[in-house]
Structure formats: structure tokens, C-alpha cells
Amino acid sequence: MREFKVVVLGSGGVGKSALTVQFVSSTFIEKYDPTIEDFYRKEIEVDGQPSVLEILDTAGTEQFSSMRDLYIKNGQGFVVVYSITSQQTFHDIRNMKEQIVRVKGSENVPILLVGNKCDLSHQRQVRSEEGLALAESWSCPFTECSAKNNQNVNVTFAEIVREMNYVQNKSRQSKSCCSLM
Amino acid sequence: MSSKVEEDQHQELLTEDQLVARCVECFDVDEEDEVEDIEFVDALFLSHQWLSDSLSLITHFVNFYQETRNVEQREAVCRAVSFWIEKFPMHFDAQPQVCAQVVRLKTIAEDINENIRNGLDVSALPSFAWLRAVSVRNPLAKQTAFSLSFVQASPSDISTSLSHIDYRVLSRISITELKQYVKDGHLRSCPMLERSISVFNNLSNWVQCMILNKTTPKERAEILVKFVHVAKHLRKINNFNTLMSVVGGITHSSVARLAKTYAVLSNDIKKELTQLTNLLSAQHNFCEYRKALGACNKKFRIPIIGVHLKDLVAINCSGANFEKTKCISSDKLVKLSKLLSNFLVFNQKGHNLPEMNMDLINTLKVSLDIRYNDDDIYELSLRREPKTFMNFEPSRGLVFAEWASGVTVAPDNATVSKHISAMVDAVFKHYDHDRDGFISQEEFQLIAGNFPFIDAFVNIDVDMDGQISKDELKTYFMAANKNTKDLRRGFKHNFHETTFLTPTTCNHCNKLLWGILRQGFKCKDCGLAVHSCCKSNAVAECRRKSSSNLTRAAEWFASPRGSMRSRIINTCKRSSRPRTVSAVVTSPTTEKPTCSTKLSPPKLKDIRPQSESTEYYNSGSTPDEEIGLVSLACEEVFEDDDLADISSASYRTA
């Protein structure tokens, strides 16, 4: 069974923890303890293949620059979250891909752009088209979800698994092309 | 069956009243020294300020006392409050209303046993005033053979000083700030938390800059090794927070990419660094760190505040929110207290750190007050060890949102001024041996290593008497700190005469720059190349590659340089003999400023790629040509209105 480390990035207050906790807690809500070793690990089946995700939620540590650098270095996939109710949180993440690329040293990094709090449509400040445009400029998938209502949460993490698999396969293909030459 | 009932009892949601009732039950025992379910009692007192406040809790105890008629229960209330006062005295410090309730309880408890009532005493509390003071002056330890220089100070002294700084700022984070941050996710109303995160980030950046400041892989490796030793000592004294910051700096991408530097490291150092990195790894929810933290649970330790902020955010996401429901289960209360006990403000234990030396602490504080731009650090890393030999292009300039760089908030001017004054006093105390109020160039070199990118001696010695006074050093550091706040300089180019080593075209007229030496001018900020006759016509906007401290520091000192250049003109006019560079170098001490003025400061060269051409002066130039060059430089300086204003201000103060 394959294991992936997924880093959840975004500015404070966008709901990263709610998204993460909603995803990992559905099975053992009774013994809720964010300090235990396997709290952030969960099995997920995507397209018939089982995987184990370890979520590195950066909530609470957004302001610690070197800690985030370490997270990115050890991460394999990146879920970049903003809140559709706050234009500022969307503005804050515009350069996140450049930072990830800088730390990873490669342009081929699996990223998923997520607009959270889509249940608050009456407070929407960021149009879906804006999120989609940024995702296109990053060449990555885009989705909107609501952690509070558990809407699209599992779909979000399934999508980052697909993206990690896709990037991995793409990397293999380019290697085989080189060997042919 | 009984275990099931007990389990349900622990999960039952309790109001504050019910929590108090449960607590009183724990003290309602025959033996006076015995407390039933001490874990719950400790959890309630430790965590109550997260749920409500001390006045509310003591009021509930008093009300409970008044409502019950049972003498045993009344005695239990008194014992509970006595326990609270004895074990958590900080909750009663500078809390007159809370203390008044204790006095009231003691007054109405007339019929209670004298021994029990005596515990209700808030008149002899230890003082916690030092936590609320902006700064605390401690008596200086008498250590005459103590070095303030980073190179000469021992790793244990550095780590001890950093630990004192960290302990001080972490202890001042209030419960209110923690609650606000966990709820909102930002720092707008959390100044002390912001300050502690700023110290964390600035330390990380300082570590990176101290390493990148060195020009050769061997020198960088030496600094890196020193920081690994500092990290090992931090681990030894269980300061995990500062350890995370230092290791975060050592392993930061801007340092980790230096393959040549890492190649110089010995396998032992690499192994030690790997062990420290694994200890702090986020893998499996920081389980290695949590194990190490648990192993020293009885001793003094400084936990990684970022990890436990993360835990608080996660637990706040769980269903039960006390703010709304005003209910919490005893199980959750115990878990909450375990989380909160990782923040120093909830423990208020005195530290057992090794004895502090205020002078080294004051010096390091100034180092940590200087703020560096993430982008500048990365650019410097690329210049130290380019990605490939064929690629000398700096990376595209990035402007991160403020939060993305991590908070490095500027301390207010009063705090900075105080830190700098304390540092200057420390430096002069240790290096001004004859107490004449000046330090020499040799003495200055010792301390300069603590501050990456510090200016050369001659730029700090503004009156050029060969010595640095206290005022000169203070003025320099205040300006250096201020410069990091300045916005970009706008559109003016910073042209300097340059010898280009490869064929170069003028950006203005697109024609070749002819000649072998000093073919034209180049802007130091954006790299624009032009003919001397095209210089004044260049219309391209100056888009700086990076706004480094070096450029700003150079700009700041353009005024004293202009002053120096004026003096040089006078000197040259009086001189009837041609002067060569070598002659200047070998001339007496008073001539050194002249030499430095002509030659580019070494640190400016250090940050350039090797392929970039350098300024070059023909040793055979005639005095007339020299005067012309200096005049041209002066004209260039005073073309800039901002600099002219600075010059005027400088002259007025002189």
C-alpha cells in the first residue's frame, strides 16, 4: 500500500484544520486527540487503489517561516487552501506555487487549489472563475468545498492523490524518453 | 458494569458549577493530605482560564460554600481553594478582585477548623511582576573572560543566551492572546505571540545569513558546524523551541542547496544534523519530538510553541466549543490541560537555565532585531553557489505576501533603541579596555562577525579619526535597523563606472560599449549598462533585482562618503605628486580611509556572481583624472534629492 505525505497550506483562518479534521476524524471521532501519532493518517481508496495519506496540516504555524519550509521539503503533495469569503486569503496564496517550487527544486510538484467555505455563498468574495484561472496558471486542478458541511472533502483529498499519481507517472515517462534517446 | 458507568461519567458534559462541585467532592475526604482524582483537580485549575477566568471560578467556590449546609463540604471548599492558592499562586498575583473573594471566603468560614482556614492566605504570594515588565534588569554575572564575538563565544554560551531570550518572550504570551489566535488564525491582537514568533523567525534568518555571509564553502561549513554544536546544546538543556528555529535555519532551502558547503562537512556532523532533524520531524504528528518532550516531563523544558499551537487549533475544531455551550467533559478537560501545560504561561515554572550573561544576551538581541527579506537570502544563496556553471541569472524576483514570509514584525523604535544601547554598552564594556570611550579597528573586527553584512569600519567611523565612539556605533545600528523598513528607492539608477569583460551593448542607444577598460557605466541595482554620454538619458525604470541591506547601507552612508570625497579633492589639490594604489596601501593609518574610498568595499563584491565585471581603477591615472572621477562621483551623489536632504540633515547635526 502506497503512502503519501500531503501538506495543507494557506493563510490563517481559511479552515485548513476543519478540512483536515473533517477528513481524518470521520472514523474515530470518539477518541479525538490531536496529539496522538496516527491522528493525521488515513486510508483512502482512489480509482480502485488503496493509499495511506499522512496530512501535514499547517494550521497554527502559518507564521513560522522555517517550519513551513521543512513541511514543504518533506511533503509530496500540496493542498493550497483559500476561503471564498475572503479576497485577502486568495491574494495571500498567489505566490505559493513559486515557494513550493523553490523548496522542492522542481517544477513538477502535485498541487491542488481549494476554495473552502463554499456553504457561505452569500458572503462570497472570490468568484469560482478567479480560482479556476489561478489553477490554470499553475497547471493544477481546482475545487471548491465546505469543510463545515463535509461537502467535497473526500473528493478533495482523492483529487490530490490522483494528482500525485499523475505527476509520478509523467516523471517516469520522461525518464523512459531519455533512455530511448 | 462499573467501568462503563465510570466511563460515561467522564464523558458527561459539565457546566462550570458542576466542575466546581466535582472538584469539591475530590477534597471531601477523611485524610487531610489526600485528594481524590488529583488529575481532574490539576486540570481544572490549570485550564480554567482557557474556559472562563479566575474571578468566575472563585465566585463559584464561594457560592457553593454559601449554598451548602454540610460542614464536611464547607471544609472541602476551603481545602480546594487552599490547594489552588498553593499550587497556582500566579492566578492570584495582581488580581485584587480574586484575592478579595478569598478574603471574603475566609471571613464567612468562621466555624471552620483553624488549620484549614489558614490556607486561605493571599498576603504572602510570590511576585510575578517580572512577567508584566517590558524588560527586566538582572544583576550582571561577573565573568571577565567572556567574549561577545560569535566566532569566539562557546556554543553553550550562545545557546544559553538564546534560551534566556526565548524564555522571556514565551513567558509573556497571555492566555487571552492564545485564545484569540486559535479562534481567528491571525496575530492582529496578539502582540506578545507575534513578538515570540518574530524572534523565532529572525533567529532562523540570522542563522542562514551568518552561514551565507561567508564567501567560501570551507568558511560556510565552519559556521554551519558551530550552529550544529549550538543546536546540540539546546537539545541538552531541553529548549526545543529554539532548537527548532536553529535547525530550521540550518536546513532551510537557501542553505540546504549549498552542495559544495555540505561536501566539506564531516560525516559525524552530518549524522548529528540528521539526528536533530529527525527529532524535529513532522512525520507521524511529531511523534519523535513528543516522545523526547515526555521523557523530560518532570524537568524544565521549552516546548516548540508552533506544534502546540497546531494542537490547540485542531482541538478547537472538535465538536464541543466551550465558548458556545459552556459545557466540557472531564475527559476533555484533562486533555486540554495537557495541551495547555506546554505553554509557559500556564506552568509559570521558574527556569533552571545556566547562569545568564546579560552582555552576550544584549548583543544577540540586536542580531535578532535585524530583519532580513526571504527573497534576499535566497538570492544570496544562488550567488554563493549557482545552480549550474552555465546559469548566472538570478531567480525572478518574488514578492511574497506578508504572512507568507512569516511574521518578522519590527519592534517599536523605543525597544530597538533600548536593545542597541544595551548592546553598545556591552561591546564597550568588553572591548574598550582603557575606558576612553572608543574601540579600535582590531577590536571592532571581533564583534563584527555577529552581524552579517555589517558595514566596513570606515563607514561606521564617520568622523574618520580611526576609532569608533559609542555614538557612532549607536547611530549606525539605528540606521541599519531603520533601512530595512524603507521601501524601494524608486526609479533612480545607481550607476558606477565599470569594466565589462564581455561585449556589452548600451541599453539606451543599443550600440556597443567600446574600449578595453571602463567602457561605460552599470547600475548596481538592476544591471543596466550604458555609455557615459547616455547615462543621463537612460529612461528605463530601475527594477531592482533585490533590495538588499547592502545597497541600503551604502545609500545611507553616501552622505559621509560625499563628505569624504570632498576632503579627498582638497587633499589631491594640495598634492603635487602622482599617487599610486600601492603607495596608498602602504601609507600611514590616516591614509586608510582614502584607500577604502577608492576601492569598492569587499562585501559588495562578495555578493556578485564571478562572471560579473568589477570596478577597476587604472593605477597609472593622473591626479587630474582622479579629481575628475571624484567630482563626477560627487555630482552623481547630489543628483538625488533624497540623498541631498540626508546630507543637509547630516550637516545640520554635525
Side-chain angles (χ1 to χ4, degrees):
Chain A
M1 190 176 321
R2 280 176 311 176
E3 189 168 324
F4 295 110
K5 293 189 190 65
V6 175
V7 184
V8 183
L9 297 160
S11 61
V14 298
K16 299 188 293 298
S17 255
L19 185 69
T20 303
V21 168
Q22 184 70 262
F23 178 67
V24 303
S25 291
S26 56
T27 48
F28 59 118
I29 190 73
E30 290 179 3
K31 297 190 173 181
Y32 187 98
D33 185 349
T35 67
I36 64 175
E37 181 172 337
D38 291 336
F39 178 77
Y40 289 105
R41 291 170 64 88
K42 186 181 180 185
E43 272 185 47
I44 183 174
E45 186 171 311
V46 178
D47 303 332
Q49 294 190 44
S51 307
V52 172
L53 295 192
E54 175 164 8
I55 313 298
L56 304 177
D57 179 15
T58 60
T61 62
E62 298 92 352
Q63 305 287 352
F64 292 81
S65 53
S66 58
M67 284 181 77
R68 188 181 61 252
D69 203 75
L70 281 172
Y71 279 144
I72 293 175
K73 177 193 278 189
N74 294 312
Q76 291 164 295
F78 303 91
V79 177
V80 181
V81 186
Y82 67 93
S83 169
I84 66 162
T85 66
S86 168
Q87 187 73 41
Q88 181 66 45
T89 65
F90 184 68
H91 177 273
D92 285 345
I93 59 163
R94 284 184 312 174
N95 291 310
M96 187 53 60
K97 173 162 186 177
E98 278 86 352
Q99 176 153 23
I100 295 170
V101 166
R102 175 183 283 186
V103 176
K104 300 303 282 183
S106 163
E107 288 279 341
N108 293 321
V109 285
I111 298 178
L112 171 65
L113 181 62
V114 176
N116 192 25
K117 306 193 183 183
C118 68
D119 54 298
L120 303 175
S121 53
H122 54 291
Q123 296 178 37
R124 182 184 279 270
Q125 287 184 15
V126 185
R127 292 178 294 114
S128 299
E129 291 78 13
E130 294 178 71
L132 196 57
L134 180 60
E136 282 180 356
S137 72
W138 287 2
S139 304
C140 79
F142 168 70
T143 185
E144 289 187 343
C145 70
S146 166
K148 186 179 178 185
N149 293 351
N150 197 4
Q151 185 180 335
N152 268 3
V153 170
N154 279 18
V155 168
T156 296
F157 286 97
E159 191 62 36
I160 190 61
V161 172
R162 280 193 197 95
E163 188 68 9
M164 289 186 283
N165 285 329
Y166 170 78
V167 169
Q168 214 172 76
N169 291 337
K170 193 170 143 189
S171 173
R172 286 201 201 114
Q173 285 175 16
S174 61
K175 284 180 184 176
S176 61
C177 285
C178 290
S179 64
L180 282 178
M181 297 174 67
Chain B
M1 187 61 185
S2 61
S3 63
K4 185 63 163 65
V5 170
E6 192 171 308
E7 185 175 324
D8 284 347
Q9 196 177 34
H10 280 277
Q11 293 297 331
E12 181 189 356
L13 293 181
L14 305 170
T15 63
E16 196 170 2
D17 270 333
Q18 290 165 327
L19 291 168
V20 167
R22 173 76 64 88
C23 180
V24 171
E25 281 179 31
C26 297
F27 285 90
D28 192 1
V29 290
D30 294 334
E31 297 298 325
E32 281 196 10
D33 292 331
E34 184 184 333
V35 179
E36 186 186 331
D37 196 359
I38 185 72
E39 188 179 54
F40 171 83
V41 170
D42 277 341
L44 174 64
F45 289 131
L46 193 149
S47 309
H48 76 276
Q49 287 179 335
W50 187 259
L51 306 170
S52 59
D53 58 39
S54 296
L55 180 58
S56 176
L57 187 61
I58 187 66
T59 302
H60 277 94
F61 275 106
V62 174
N63 290 344
F64 187 96
Y65 182 96
Q66 290 175 319
E67 285 160 12
T68 185
R69 293 299 159 196
N70 188 304
V71 174
E72 281 81 19
Q73 281 190 339
R74 287 185 161 187
E75 286 183 357
V77 169
C78 293
R79 276 201 220 101
V81 175
S82 299
F83 177 92
W84 182 10
I85 294 169
E86 183 185 357
K87 190 153 187 185
F88 299 92
M90 72 290 294
H91 296 161
F92 300 87
D93 180 47
Q95 296 285 333
Q97 287 180 304
V98 179
C99 292
Q101 288 293 318
V102 174
V103 172
R104 178 166 169 243
L105 177 62
K106 188 171 183 181
T107 304
I108 66 181
E110 291 173 356
D111 52 337
I112 298 299
N113 185 293
E114 186 77 13
N115 287 335
I116 298 175
R117 284 180 71 248
N118 283 344
L120 302 172
D121 185 8
V122 289
S123 61
L125 294 171
S127 172
F128 292 86
W130 66 272
L131 280 173
R132 293 187 297 275
V134 174
S135 67
V136 177
R137 180 138 297 276
N138 287 265
L140 294 177
K142 294 182 177 179
Q143 298 183 31
T144 54
F146 199 95
S147 178
L148 303 182
S149 166
F150 173 81
V151 172
Q152 294 178 354
S154 70
S156 60
D157 287 335
I158 293 170
S159 74
T160 298
S161 299
L162 293 173
S163 298
H164 281 284
I165 293 171
D166 220 14
Y167 175 79
R168 190 67 56 79
V169 294
L170 289 170
S171 296
R172 286 183 196 142
I173 301 170
S174 70
I175 294 159
T176 306
E177 287 194 18
L178 289 174
K179 289 167 80 173
Q180 200 71 45
Y181 181 73
V182 166
K183 189 172 75 170
D184 297 338
H186 56 71
L187 294 162
R188 274 195 283 277
S189 47
C190 310
M192 287 302 166
L193 180 56
E194 189 173 39
R195 172 71 182 152
S196 73
I197 297 177
S198 181
V199 168
F200 183 99
N201 287 334
N202 289 348
L203 173 53
S204 229
N205 291 338
W206 180 66
V207 169
Q208 295 167 54
C209 288
M210 289 292 280
I211 295 170
L212 293 170
N213 188 39
K214 301 300 180 182
T215 54
T216 67
K218 183 170 181 292
E219 286 173 328
R220 288 195 288 275
E222 284 169 7
I223 301 294
L224 204 153
V225 168
K226 180 123 188 179
F227 277 118
V228 171
H229 292 317
V230 169
K232 283 169 64 187
H233 190 261
L234 288 165
R235 171 69 185 93
K236 185 179 169 190
I237 61 179
N238 295 325
N239 180 351
F240 296 96
N241 194 57
T242 311
L243 176 63
M244 171 64 94
S245 181
V246 170
V247 172
I250 294 170
T251 61
H252 198 275
S253 49
S254 65
V255 175
R257 60 174 297 280
L258 304 174
K260 291 193 184 100
T261 302
Y262 272 84
V264 180
L265 297 177
S266 70
N267 285 333
D268 287 347
I269 288 291
K270 284 176 182 170
K271 192 197 298 181
E272 284 167 359
L273 184 55
T274 300
Q275 284 172 359
L276 292 167
T277 305
N278 289 341
L279 170 71
L280 302 170
S281 170
Q283 197 157 337
H284 298 294
N285 198 12
F286 291 97
C287 73
E288 291 298 325
Y289 159 68
R290 295 186 199 274
K291 284 178 194 166
L293 191 70
C296 56
N297 199 28
K298 299 300 181 185
K299 308 169 196 167
F300 173 79
R301 73 264 166 91
I302 300 183
I304 302 173
I305 187 174
V307 172
H308 305 291
L309 283 173
K310 188 163 127 67
D311 294 338
L312 279 182
V313 169
I315 204 168
N316 198 55
C317 278
S318 64
N321 189 328
F322 187 83
E323 245 179 35
K324 295 175 183 173
T325 66
K326 298 296 176 184
C327 291
I328 189 169
S329 69
S330 59
D331 237 23
K332 182 154 289 182
L333 184 71
V334 170
K335 282 177 184 170
L336 177 64
S337 75
K338 280 177 179 150
L339 286 185
L340 296 176
S341 68
N342 290 313
F343 295 91
L344 297 184
V345 68
F346 284 95
N347 267 312
Q348 302 298 353
K349 287 177 184 171
H351 66 77
N352 66 351
L353 295 170
E355 189 174 8
M356 75 172 80
N357 182 281
M358 274 317 282
D359 291 336
L360 182 54
I361 289 173
N362 288 334
T363 308
L364 289 169
K365 270 183 184 176
V366 174
S367 297
L368 301 187
D369 277 351
I370 299 170
R371 285 156 295 107
Y372 306 95
N373 178 278
D374 267 15
D375 217 44
D376 292 341
I377 296 175
Y378 193 75
E379 290 262 321
L380 180 57
S381 174
L382 289 173
R383 291 192 162 97
R384 290 286 180 248
E385 295 188 21
K387 283 181 177 175
T388 66
F389 287 105
M390 300 302 296
N391 179 12
F392 292 100
E393 284 294 327
S395 67
R396 175 163 45 98
L398 297 173
V399 181
F400 287 103
E402 182 179 333
W403 76 268
S405 288
V407 64
T408 57
V409 66
D412 58 282
N413 282 335
T415 301
V416 170
S417 180
K418 191 183 308 164
H419 285 177
I420 289 174
S421 293
M423 182 273 292
V424 170
D425 289 343
V427 168
F428 274 78
K429 179 185 166 195
H430 282 261
Y431 293 102
D432 179 22
H433 299 301
D434 57 357
R435 301 292 167 195
D436 65 345
F438 295 94
I439 58 175
S440 69
Q441 184 166 9
E442 291 72 30
E443 289 157 348
F444 171 79
Q445 290 307 125
L446 290 175
I447 202 66
N450 290 29
F451 305 96
F453 321 129
I454 192 171
D455 250 304
F457 180 89
V458 291
N459 290 323
I460 299 175
D461 179 26
V462 295
D463 63 0
M464 296 172 56
D465 62 349
Q467 300 179 106
I468 289 176
S469 68
K470 282 190 176 183
D471 286 341
E472 283 168 338
L473 196 57
K474 286 183 186 178
T475 302
Y476 173 76
F477 275 97
M478 292 303 297
N481 195 279
K482 179 191 171 189
N483 276 337
T484 60
K485 304 177 194 173
D486 287 348
L487 298 176
R488 296 186 166 182
R489 296 299 316 282
F491 306 109
K492 280 284 182 178
H493 290 284
N494 186 12
F495 282 126
H496 288 264
E497 197 168 22
T498 305
T499 296
F500 297 94
L501 302 180
T502 58
T504 309
T505 56
C506 174
N507 281 95
H508 178 66
C509 64
N510 288 323
K511 293 174 182 173
L512 192 68
L513 293 171
W514 287 106
I516 296 176
L517 301 173
R518 289 183 284 114
Q519 303 98 322
F521 288 77
K522 180 167 185 162
C523 177
K524 282 192 172 173
D525 296 330
C526 68
L528 197 79
V530 292
H531 289 108
S532 55
C533 55
C534 299
K535 180 162 64 68
S536 56
N537 298 323
V539 295
E541 175 184 329
C542 183
R543 300 180 188 276
R544 296 182 181 198
K545 298 175 194 170
S546 65
S547 49
S548 70
N549 285 347
L550 301 168
T551 305
R552 287 168 175 161
E555 286 160 2
W556 174 259
F557 290 103
S559 166
R561 279 203 186 110
S563 175
M564 286 189 287
R565 282 165 179 154
S566 298
R567 281 181 228 177
I568 293 163
I569 292 171
N570 295 332
T571 305
C572 291
K573 284 176 180 174
R574 282 188 228 110
S575 172
S576 60
R577 291 178 298 166
R579 187 177 298 173
T580 64
V581 172
S582 62
V584 170
V585 168
T586 55
S587 63
T589 307
T590 52
E591 297 289 348
K592 283 184 181 178
T594 306
C595 173
S596 297
T597 302
K598 284 187 177 177
L599 300 176
S600 299
K603 66 187 180 308
L604 288 173
K605 288 184 185 177
D606 289 348
I607 64 168
R608 292 182 198 157
Q610 289 177 10
S611 65
E612 189 171 324
S613 58
T614 57
E615 289 183 338
Y616 178 84
Y617 290 92
N618 190 330
S619 60
S621 66
T622 63
D624 290 337
E625 193 168 357
E626 251 175 27
I627 293 172
L629 291 172
V630 172
S631 300
L632 190 59
C634 290
E635 290 168 5
E636 180 185 12
V637 166
F638 292 111
E639 279 173 9
D640 193 316
D641 291 338
D642 291 342
L643 287 177
D645 290 340
I646 295 172
S647 305
S648 304
S650 180
Y651 293 150
R652 278 195 293 269
T653 54

